[in-house]
Amino acid sequence: MLLHLGSADRLLEARERLTALGLEHSLFPDRLTFEIRADLSIIRPAELEAKLKDLGPVEQVRSRTPLLDAIKPGHEVLVEIPGGEPIRFQNFSKNPVWIAGPCSLDDLNDIRSNAERLSALGVPVLRGGAVKPRTSPHEFQGIGRKGYKLLSDAAHGHKMAAISEALSEDDVEEAAEFLDIIQVGARNMQNYSLLKKLGKTGKPVLLKRGAGASLKEWASAAEYLLNEGNQRVILCERGVRGQERELRYTLDLAGAAFMQHRYGLPVVIDPSHATGTKQILEACTAGSLAMGFAGVMLETHPRPIEAKSDALQALPPEEFEAIARRHLKPRA
Amino acid sequence: MLLHLGSADRLLEARERLTALGLEHSLFPDRLTFEIRADLSIIRPAELEAKLKDLGPVEQVRSRTPLLDAIKPGHEVLVEIPGGEPIRFQNFSKNPVWIAGPCSLDDLNDIRSNAERLSALGVPVLRGGAVKPRTSPHEFQGIGRKGYKLLSDAAHGHKMAAISEALSEDDVEEAAEFLDIIQVGARNMQNYSLLKKLGKTGKPVLLKRGAGASLKEWASAAEYLLNEGNQRVILCERGVRGQERELRYTLDLAGAAFMQHRYGLPVVIDPSHATGTKQILEACTAGSLAMGFAGVMLETHPRPIEAKSDALQALPPEEFEAIARRHLKPRA
Amino acid sequence: MLLHLGSADRLLEARERLTALGLEHSLFPDRLTFEIRADLSIIRPAELEAKLKDLGPVEQVRSRTPLLDAIKPGHEVLVEIPGGEPIRFQNFSKNPVWIAGPCSLDDLNDIRSNAERLSALGVPVLRGGAVKPRTSPHEFQGIGRKGYKLLSDAAHGHKMAAISEALSEDDVEEAAEFLDIIQVGARNMQNYSLLKKLGKTGKPVLLKRGAGASLKEWASAAEYLLNEGNQRVILCERGVRGQERELRYTLDLAGAAFMQHRYGLPVVIDPSHATGTKQILEACTAGSLAMGFAGVMLETHPRPIEAKSDALQALPPEEFEAIARRHLKPRA
Amino acid sequence: MLLHLGSADRLLEARERLTALGLEHSLFPDRLTFEIRADLSIIRPAELEAKLKDLGPVEQVRSRTPLLDAIKPGHEVLVEIPGGEPIRFQNFSKNPVWIAGPCSLDDLNDIRSNAERLSALGVPVLRGGAVKPRTSPHEFQGIGRKGYKLLSDAAHGHKMAAISEALSEDDVEEAAEFLDIIQVGARNMQNYSLLKKLGKTGKPVLLKRGAGASLKEWASAAEYLLNEGNQRVILCERGVRGQERELRYTLDLAGAAFMQHRYGLPVVIDPSHATGTKQILEACTAGSLAMGFAGVMLETHPRPIEAKSDALQALPPEEFEAIARRHLKPRA
């Protein structure tokens, strides 16, 4: 982005204002033009232009995410549920959305009892994996797409929304029929064919960040969804590869805050998959809520030892309940 | 760590309890012995042994951090200040400690006016770099060790504690004479010679995590300080290298929570250096406080544009004040 | 993996032999059983068992990649081409396979002239992107699946094999019809639905490593292909995210060597995408060939400045020719 | 770096030439000025200016490593040894320098027999750790500075050079007295106080890259040595933290090639510490030699099982000998 000063008189003022905005900049040898590294900046290009235009004309470089740049701060993603109040995902909301449930759907009873218990605690969204992306083909691959209906029946019975992952392009149609929110897993964040099909459904999509993805790559993946005309995009941070060797991933809360401030899409935090360690889930949940994120996603299982995946990180009912009682503010 | 069951009757119960504790484990072919990956576990070995011993004898592997393992949860690091109440660094305290001030000491007036203003806001610890670790030898290297006295005079004049970095083994003596807390920078986290000298001083040491350090490496660096008989160790997370390309580092709040729970030493969060982006400092501060950390460290500068380092990340007084008013609970 | 010593007499010998094999191990308290961390070991489980069984029975843990573990060292992937000699991908071969061509197919003439020139230099495989995975939806997405036929016509006209990427499950049928090798891009390494469809075709598949993937995750992705009965799998290292900020990615040659030794599948190195810097391509090519990899993949373009992607990393014809003349050994 | 075109007539030519040089660039709105991202470029600023000046004046930005930028391609670091021919470290040399020996000095006999055997194979430099940087304070810390003399006596007895690490500023004087090359370990790469003291000795210094250091940070650390007037700097790549979870570190050969081409200082590769896996050491050695590095550093130990550190990665004599016979070209 280039700022062309109308007059050299305001050079010093321009430098001070750019610094105050926290922008990297360099002055061209004409001493009238600043190059501003707005590309990596936390400030939206349009907002920046508005703040600088009294100094002189601003010339924008072509953005790789023009649709995302046009999202307004406070953007709300509305999720309708049959016969219930819609659920609102919005950053800095008074009612951050809790999403909870088991990692994978094991059998019907579990998910029904999960729904009942979670609903009673005020959790508005029920999660459960039907088709599972497992690192090895020899691991449990989930109960399949029939799980979408089982999950949504269980959720809707308690006026909850249902969220589950679409793993394949072939999953999209059925997922869109039954689910209220469709999840894109971290491994598929850059599966552009899947993103395009999901964008076309118009359904709310929760887009998890890839474990090896930079913030801009994450933003560009969201742009694929927006590019199909779908603005109902929720971002979900679930940990990246960092320097940790003890926890499963590095939960990038500051990176998620960057996305929240820079792009305005609602951001949800999933500390269960990020850390794989249930002892710090309460701290991470409390931190996420204090940071103004649109929601949190936690893994619970009535009997973790019998869970078909992620036994060690799932919270048993009583531990989840204790956390929810201390931190969940139910909708009025 | 090995758990030797007294009887095969309790095999199933043992498996359930290990799972409930979130412990990776494997059963030996004798079907009486479990290997527990306690090394990477969030539970202290001693605590674990206490929880399991009714099942049978527990055999511990030699720890690389026995002194750190012996630190009690709730460990408090007391920092005395001349003529004032001591400052207490403790996780999950009601009064997390705020540390603030400029990245580097530029001139005396600045630090005095900083101290006055910060003290009035209820900030108990004044920071300021005297000797600076700069990536290039051609960058401003700080005003030198004379800054230790300038800083502590400014701090003590307002009953604040003074913290600054010791960069070289040659800095240690003077740092110990004037400072109330001595900081080890991220680049020196594994400078064992420096750690040994600092440990011998008995002074409170704030140990920053290296940008490329795993959690265990950080713990082992703390062990070097403890090994000299110094238990007054405060850990400080300031960001690691991750997948970010937009922020300066990845602030590892979940990793810091692991350290807080596993080792009990007080942990302080420094979001200024981690993110380099002042727009998200308030969110990171609020998150850190909600997670129960012992304190936060923020960079402020009366006129960021004139700061000799880190101009873009330093908060000007009015922005810092706004954050402090919203989040700082002054001591009674 | 557990080694049960028949007798305590051989305890010392066992320790020495395990150490000589470079294996992490720990002795159980019965002083007759060793746990061997073979999971992360460079030695195949079957080979290991053969080397240890004279010491006592060996008990293997369930592998997540049993099919990959059964691949023999020296495994060869044969690629047939219409009317020509088949091309053999094999580690430590005397004739490592060169793959070259433009990043994306721009127009027909280019690819025909590319094929002619590359063929004359002795390059046996022609690459060219038809459907392109681009970070932003607003960037050139490739000429589409019609490119598969254009590419293979150009290649087959010179008795070269054709390789291009299948991006979507919808691409698989047409890719299998026209291409000789189907590429899975780094972003799709864990797109398991795509892997399953590709496995079913029985066609040779070149599986690129994800930029955020560990070696085991890469191995597990290959297992998905093997699990469909397809053993014609070629691995391709193209750089991971590391500590670099100057090059595009960190080319993990040692990691690729681990895969080559541990799993036996042929490994090809792609330094063009890994480094994005043409000045070091010759050094990386020479290094890869000296390390015994099954092949190298390089990006060339007749007029880089007009290339629709990756202009800065593509080698112009004369530079590629110079490298090929110095390092390519054409088949007899 | 800015290129000011004398005339708009050469705009197209300028773009083509910048692209051909592989340089990221952007045209200013005056359509006469290009900004060139030379900072991250593989081309030295001075070389670049020479190549572009016929197009118009070139304006350089202030470099953070001006002394390093002034190093000439082909820079040679000469290491004198008492009574022997000096050893020459130079990239793309016909005689890359082999450095070998045990990780740590255990006792005198070992190092003497090591020296004898390695010298007979044509290895010109003997390594051995006297003071050891160990992650835990409870691990073997080395035999201490007396090891410097033991090592150099053993080396000089066979007209070899001696290299060992200086860990503390207190080690420098004795290290400079006895050693021919002083090593800075990865953990101390940004220990600027140590670098300054080492720079002042004028002795050859081998500067290992930190496991979390970017290439520019490595270059800046070298600048600290040059800034004390010492141009006898050898860089050593020993692995960075990447995506590996199976090998110890990610050996960044391409990053090392970047340093070799961009800065001209001799670069040595240490695959032993990088991989921790002796099965791939030969491949990594062969690759390093083929890439034109100034040397390789390998860990050997007569009886790895008795080594006090790194038992699993050290090559026993017969395995090292086999590698040396196949790849070491002794000096004429």
Side-chain angles (χ1 to χ4, degrees):
Chain A
M1 177 175 276
L2 298 169
L3 167 63
H4 304 281
L5 293 184
S7 140
D9 297 349
R10 303 185 70 183
L11 183 57
L12 195 66
E13 181 196 348
R15 278 198 58 225
E16 292 206 357
R17 282 169 59 183
L18 292 169
T19 303
L21 288 164
L23 293 166
E24 269 193 70
H25 56 274
S26 52
L27 182 61
F28 285 179
D30 64 4
R31 299 188 64 77
L32 280 173
T33 311
F34 281 97
E35 190 193 14
I36 304 171
R37 304 253 189 276
D39 182 39
L40 294 180
S41 159
I42 200 171
I43 307 175
R44 286 179 194 76
E47 187 191 341
L48 190 54
E49 187 171 357
K51 285 195 174 167
L52 296 176
K53 66 183 174 192
D54 68 290
L55 286 167
V58 169
E59 187 178 344
Q60 299 207 11
V61 293
R62 204 172 63 83
S63 168
R64 298 172 95 185
T65 53
L67 304 173
L68 193 49
D69 291 345
I71 294 287
K72 298 275 181 303
H75 180 79
E76 185 184 77
V77 171
L78 217 74
V79 176
E80 292 93 2
I81 40 175
E85 282 293 298
I87 294 160
R88 295 163 188 281
F89 283 85
Q90 191 178 32
N91 296 322
F92 303 108
S93 145
K94 280 185 188 153
N95 286 101
V97 180
W98 286 53
I99 306 172
C103 180
S104 64
L105 296 170
D106 300 332
D107 64 54
L108 179 57
N109 293 332
D110 271 353
I111 194 63
R112 274 188 190 159
S113 67
N114 261 293
E116 188 175 343
R117 205 169 31 238
L118 293 171
S119 163
L121 288 166
V123 173
V125 186
L126 183 68
R127 55 162 286 172
V131 292
K132 297 296 302 171
R134 301 303 300 274
T135 302
S136 162
H138 311 296
E139 292 171 311
F140 176 60
Q141 306 275 313
I143 63 169
R145 289 199 284 266
K146 67 177 179 187
Y148 293 154
K149 187 172 185 312
L150 296 180
L151 180 77
S152 84
D153 283 352
H156 296 166
H158 294 278
K159 305 209 167 157
M160 297 172 82
I163 180 171
S164 195
E165 180 170 351
L167 196 53
S168 158
E169 298 167 52
D170 292 346
D171 297 338
V172 172
E173 193 182 332
E174 221 161 321
E177 184 180 349
F178 293 108
L179 301 173
D180 305 302
I181 310 171
I182 308 175
Q183 176 176 313
V184 178
R187 292 173 178 85
N188 276 317
M189 190 198 85
Q190 293 187 311
N191 179 342
Y192 301 132
S193 308
L194 181 62
L195 294 179
K196 286 177 185 174
K197 289 204 179 156
L198 286 171
K200 285 188 182 43
T201 66
K203 277 272 179 177
V205 175
L206 182 139
L207 177 66
K208 288 202 160 185
R209 178 182 180 186
S214 72
L215 298 171
K216 287 179 75 176
E217 288 167 346
W218 193 13
S220 289
E223 184 82 1
Y224 268 93
L225 292 164
L226 297 172
N227 199 37
E228 303 296 332
N230 189 350
Q231 292 206 323
R232 299 209 283 172
V233 179
I234 302 159
L235 302 174
C236 179
E237 162 67 26
R238 46 74 74 200
V240 292
R241 284 271 161 74
Q243 303 300 328
E244 81 299 331
R245 294 299 188 268
E246 299 75 15
L247 299 173
R248 196 182 287 178
Y249 295 98
T250 295
L251 182 66
D252 188 7
L253 288 171
F258 180 94
M259 297 301 279
Q260 181 192 42
H261 281 79
R262 170 67 179 82
Y263 294 113
L265 290 179
V267 180
V268 163
I269 307 297
D270 172 0
S272 295
H273 284 87
T275 66
T277 302
K278 64 181 185 172
Q279 281 87 344
I280 55 174
L281 291 184
E282 178 163 4
C284 292
T285 299
S288 301
L289 295 171
M291 290 175 78
F293 291 114
V296 291
M297 186 187 244
L298 288 163
E299 197 171 316
T300 60
H301 196 282
R303 287 183 50 73
I305 199 173
E306 291 168 12
K308 291 213 173 121
S309 57
D310 292 337
L312 295 182
Q313 82 197 19
L315 289 164
E318 63 283 5
E319 294 183 28
F320 177 78
E321 220 175 298
I323 295 177
R325 268 198 311 265
R326 281 192 286 268
H327 302 282
L328 194 168
K329 292 186 219 159
R331 292 183 288 167
Chain B
M1 179 176 275
L2 299 170
L3 167 63
H4 304 280
L5 294 185
S7 140
D9 298 349
R10 303 185 70 183
L11 184 56
L12 195 67
E13 182 197 347
R15 275 199 60 226
E16 292 207 357
R17 281 169 60 184
L18 291 170
T19 303
L21 288 164
L23 293 167
E24 268 193 71
H25 56 274
S26 52
L27 184 61
F28 285 180
D30 64 4
R31 299 188 64 76
L32 280 173
T33 311
F34 281 97
E35 189 194 13
I36 304 170
R37 304 253 189 276
D39 181 38
L40 294 181
S41 159
I42 200 171
I43 307 175
R44 284 180 195 76
E47 186 191 343
L48 191 55
E49 187 171 357
K51 286 194 174 168
L52 296 176
K53 66 184 175 191
D54 68 288
L55 287 166
V58 170
E59 186 178 344
Q60 299 208 11
V61 293
R62 203 171 63 83
S63 168
R64 298 172 95 186
T65 53
L67 303 173
L68 193 48
D69 291 345
I71 293 288
K72 298 276 181 301
H75 181 79
E76 185 184 77
V77 171
L78 217 75
V79 176
E80 293 94 2
I81 37 174
E85 282 293 297
I87 294 160
R88 295 162 188 281
F89 283 86
Q90 191 177 32
N91 295 321
F92 304 108
S93 145
K94 281 186 187 152
N95 284 102
V97 179
W98 287 52
I99 305 172
C103 180
S104 64
L105 297 170
D106 300 332
D107 65 54
L108 179 57
N109 294 332
D110 271 354
I111 195 61
R112 274 188 190 157
S113 66
N114 262 291
E116 187 174 343
R117 204 168 32 237
L118 294 171
S119 163
L121 289 166
V123 173
V125 185
L126 182 69
R127 55 162 285 172
V131 291
K132 297 296 303 171
R134 301 304 300 273
T135 302
S136 160
H138 310 295
E139 292 171 311
F140 176 59
Q141 307 275 314
I143 62 169
R145 290 199 284 266
K146 66 176 179 189
Y148 294 154
K149 188 171 184 312
L150 296 180
L151 180 76
S152 84
D153 283 351
H156 296 167
H158 295 276
K159 304 206 168 160
M160 298 173 81
I163 180 171
S164 194
E165 179 170 351
L167 196 53
S168 157
E169 299 166 52
D170 292 346
D171 297 338
V172 173
E173 193 183 332
E174 221 162 321
E177 183 180 349
F178 293 108
L179 302 172
D180 305 301
I181 310 171
I182 308 175
Q183 175 176 313
V184 177
R187 294 172 177 85
N188 276 316
M189 190 199 85
Q190 293 188 311
N191 179 343
Y192 300 133
S193 308
L194 181 62
L195 294 179
K196 286 178 185 174
K197 288 204 179 156
L198 286 171
K200 284 188 182 45
T201 67
K203 277 272 179 175
V205 174
L206 182 139
L207 178 65
K208 289 202 159 185
R209 178 182 181 187
S214 72
L215 298 170
K216 287 178 75 175
E217 288 167 345
W218 193 12
S220 289
E223 184 82 1
Y224 268 91
L225 293 164
L226 297 171
N227 199 38
E228 304 295 333
N230 189 352
Q231 291 205 323
R232 300 209 283 172
V233 178
I234 302 159
L235 301 174
C236 179
E237 162 68 24
R238 46 73 75 199
V240 293
R241 282 271 160 75
Q243 302 300 329
E244 81 298 330
R245 294 298 188 269
E246 299 75 16
L247 298 173
R248 195 181 289 178
Y249 295 97
T250 294
L251 181 67
D252 188 6
L253 288 172
F258 180 94
M259 298 300 280
Q260 183 191 40
H261 282 78
R262 170 66 180 81
Y263 295 114
L265 290 179
V267 180
V268 162
I269 306 297
D270 171 0
S272 294
H273 285 86
T275 66
T277 303
K278 62 182 185 173
Q279 281 88 343
I280 56 174
L281 291 185
E282 178 163 5
C284 292
T285 300
S288 301
L289 295 171
M291 290 175 77
F293 291 113
V296 291
M297 187 187 244
L298 288 163
E299 197 171 317
T300 60
H301 197 282
R303 288 183 49 74
I305 199 173
E306 292 168 12
K308 290 213 174 121
S309 58
D310 293 336
L312 295 182
Q313 82 196 19
L315 290 164
E318 62 282 5
E319 294 183 28
F320 177 78
E321 220 175 297
I323 295 178
R325 268 197 309 265
R326 282 193 285 269
H327 302 281
L328 194 167
K329 292 186 219 158
R331 294 183 286 168
Chain C
M1 178 174 276
L2 297 170
L3 166 64
H4 304 280
L5 293 185
S7 140
D9 298 349
R10 303 186 70 183
L11 184 56
L12 195 66
E13 181 196 347
R15 276 197 60 225
E16 292 207 356
R17 282 170 56 184
L18 292 170
T19 302
L21 288 164
L23 293 165
E24 268 193 70
H25 56 274
S26 52
L27 183 61
F28 284 0
D30 63 4
R31 300 191 61 78
L32 279 173
T33 311
F34 281 97
E35 189 192 15
I36 304 171
R37 304 252 189 277
D39 182 37
L40 294 181
S41 160
I42 200 170
I43 307 175
R44 286 180 194 76
E47 186 190 343
L48 190 56
E49 188 171 357
K51 287 195 172 166
L52 296 176
K53 66 185 174 193
D54 68 290
L55 286 166
V58 170
E59 187 177 344
Q60 298 207 12
V61 292
R62 203 172 63 82
S63 169
R64 298 172 94 186
T65 53
L67 304 172
L68 193 49
D69 291 345
I71 294 288
K72 298 277 183 298
H75 180 78
E76 185 185 76
V77 171
L78 217 74
V79 177
E80 292 94 2
I81 38 175
E85 282 292 299
I87 295 159
R88 295 163 188 281
F89 283 85
Q90 192 178 31
N91 296 321
F92 304 107
S93 145
K94 280 186 189 155
N95 285 100
V97 180
W98 286 52
I99 305 173
C103 179
S104 64
L105 296 169
D106 300 332
D107 64 53
L108 178 58
N109 294 332
D110 272 353
I111 195 62
R112 275 190 190 156
S113 67
N114 261 294
E116 188 174 343
R117 203 168 33 237
L118 294 171
S119 163
L121 289 166
V123 173
V125 186
L126 183 68
R127 55 163 285 173
V131 292
K132 296 296 302 170
R134 301 303 301 272
T135 301
S136 163
H138 310 297
E139 293 171 311
F140 176 60
Q141 307 276 312
I143 63 169
R145 290 199 284 266
K146 66 175 181 191
Y148 294 154
K149 188 174 183 309
L150 296 180
L151 181 77
S152 84
D153 284 351
H156 295 167
H158 295 276
K159 304 206 169 158
M160 297 172 82
I163 180 172
S164 195
E165 179 169 350
L167 195 54
S168 159
E169 299 166 52
D170 292 346
D171 297 337
V172 172
E173 194 183 330
E174 220 162 321
E177 185 181 347
F178 293 107
L179 301 173
D180 306 301
I181 309 171
I182 308 175
Q183 175 175 314
V184 178
R187 292 174 179 85
N188 276 318
M189 190 198 85
Q190 292 188 310
N191 180 343
Y192 301 132
S193 308
L194 181 62
L195 294 179
K196 286 177 185 175
K197 289 204 178 154
L198 287 171
K200 284 189 183 45
T201 66
K203 277 270 178 176
V205 174
L206 181 138
L207 178 66
K208 289 202 160 185
R209 177 181 181 187
S214 72
L215 298 171
K216 287 179 75 176
E217 288 168 346
W218 192 13
S220 288
E223 183 82 2
Y224 268 92
L225 292 164
L226 297 171
N227 199 37
E228 303 295 333
N230 189 351
Q231 291 205 323
R232 300 209 282 172
V233 179
I234 302 159
L235 301 174
C236 178
E237 162 67 25
R238 46 74 74 200
V240 293
R241 282 271 161 75
Q243 302 301 329
E244 81 298 331
R245 293 298 187 269
E246 298 75 16
L247 299 173
R248 196 181 289 177
Y249 294 98
T250 295
L251 181 66
D252 188 7
L253 289 171
F258 180 94
M259 298 301 280
Q260 182 192 42
H261 281 78
R262 170 66 179 82
Y263 294 113
L265 290 179
V267 180
V268 162
I269 307 297
D270 172 0
S272 294
H273 284 87
T275 66
T277 302
K278 63 181 185 174
Q279 281 87 343
I280 57 174
L281 290 184
E282 178 163 5
C284 292
T285 300
S288 301
L289 296 171
M291 290 175 78
F293 292 113
V296 290
M297 186 186 245
L298 288 163
E299 197 171 315
T300 60
H301 196 283
R303 287 182 50 73
I305 198 173
E306 290 167 13
K308 290 214 174 119
S309 57
D310 292 335
L312 295 182
Q313 82 196 19
L315 289 165
E318 63 283 6
E319 295 183 28
F320 177 78
E321 222 176 294
I323 295 178
R325 268 198 310 265
R326 281 192 285 269
H327 301 283
L328 196 167
K329 293 186 219 159
R331 292 183 287 167
Chain D
M1 178 174 275
L2 298 170
L3 167 64
H4 303 280
L5 293 185
S7 140
D9 298 349
R10 304 186 69 182
L11 184 57
L12 195 67
E13 181 196 347
R15 276 200 58 226
E16 293 207 358
R17 282 169 59 183
L18 291 170
T19 302
L21 288 164
L23 293 167
E24 268 194 71
H25 57 274
S26 52
L27 182 61
F28 284 0
D30 63 4
R31 299 189 63 76
L32 280 173
T33 311
F34 281 97
E35 189 193 13
I36 304 170
R37 304 251 189 277
D39 182 38
L40 294 180
S41 158
I42 201 171
I43 308 176
R44 284 180 195 77
E47 187 190 342
L48 191 54
E49 187 172 357
K51 286 194 173 167
L52 296 176
K53 66 183 174 191
D54 67 290
L55 286 166
V58 170
E59 186 177 345
Q60 300 207 13
V61 292
R62 203 172 63 83
S63 168
R64 296 172 96 187
T65 52
L67 303 173
L68 194 48
D69 291 345
I71 293 288
K72 298 275 182 298
H75 181 79
E76 185 184 75
V77 171
L78 217 76
V79 176
E80 293 93 3
I81 38 174
E85 282 292 298
I87 295 160
R88 295 163 188 280
F89 283 85
Q90 191 178 31
N91 295 322
F92 304 108
S93 144
K94 280 185 188 155
N95 284 101
V97 179
W98 286 52
I99 305 172
C103 180
S104 65
L105 296 170
D106 300 331
D107 64 52
L108 179 57
N109 294 332
D110 271 354
I111 195 62
R112 275 191 190 154
S113 66
N114 261 293
E116 187 174 344
R117 202 169 34 237
L118 293 170
S119 163
L121 288 166
V123 173
V125 185
L126 183 69
R127 56 162 285 170
V131 291
K132 297 295 303 171
R134 301 304 300 272
T135 301
S136 161
H138 311 296
E139 292 171 311
F140 176 59
Q141 306 276 314
I143 63 169
R145 290 200 284 267
K146 67 176 179 189
Y148 294 154
K149 187 172 184 312
L150 296 180
L151 180 77
S152 83
D153 283 352
H156 296 168
H158 295 276
K159 304 205 171 161
M160 298 172 82
I163 180 172
S164 194
E165 179 170 351
L167 195 54
S168 157
E169 299 165 51
D170 292 346
D171 297 338
V172 173
E173 193 183 331
E174 221 162 321
E177 182 180 348
F178 293 108
L179 302 172
D180 306 301
I181 310 172
I182 308 175
Q183 176 176 313
V184 178
R187 293 173 178 84
N188 276 317
M189 190 199 85
Q190 293 187 310
N191 179 343
Y192 301 131
S193 308
L194 180 62
L195 294 179
K196 286 177 185 175
K197 287 203 181 159
L198 286 171
K200 283 188 184 42
T201 66
K203 278 270 178 176
V205 174
L206 182 138
L207 178 66
K208 289 202 159 185
R209 178 182 180 186
S214 71
L215 298 171
K216 286 178 75 176
E217 287 168 346
W218 193 12
S220 289
E223 184 82 1
Y224 268 92
L225 292 164
L226 296 172
N227 199 38
E228 303 296 333
N230 189 350
Q231 291 205 323
R232 300 208 283 171
V233 178
I234 302 159
L235 301 175
C236 179
E237 162 67 25
R238 46 74 75 199
V240 292
R241 282 271 161 74
Q243 303 299 328
E244 81 299 331
R245 293 298 189 269
E246 299 75 16
L247 299 174
R248 196 182 288 178
Y249 295 98
T250 294
L251 181 65
D252 188 6
L253 288 171
F258 180 94
M259 298 300 279
Q260 182 191 41
H261 281 78
R262 171 66 179 82
Y263 294 113
L265 290 179
V267 180
V268 162
I269 307 296
D270 171 359
S272 295
H273 284 87
T275 67
T277 302
K278 63 181 186 174
Q279 281 89 343
I280 56 174
L281 290 185
E282 178 163 4
C284 292
T285 299
S288 301
L289 295 171
M291 289 175 79
F293 291 114
V296 290
M297 186 187 244
L298 288 163
E299 197 170 315
T300 60
H301 196 283
R303 288 184 50 74
I305 199 173
E306 292 168 12
K308 291 213 174 121
S309 58
D310 293 335
L312 295 181
Q313 81 196 20
L315 290 164
E318 63 282 6
E319 296 183 27
F320 177 78
E321 219 175 296
I323 295 178
R325 269 198 309 267
R326 281 193 286 269
H327 301 283
L328 195 167
K329 293 185 218 159
R331 293 184 286 167

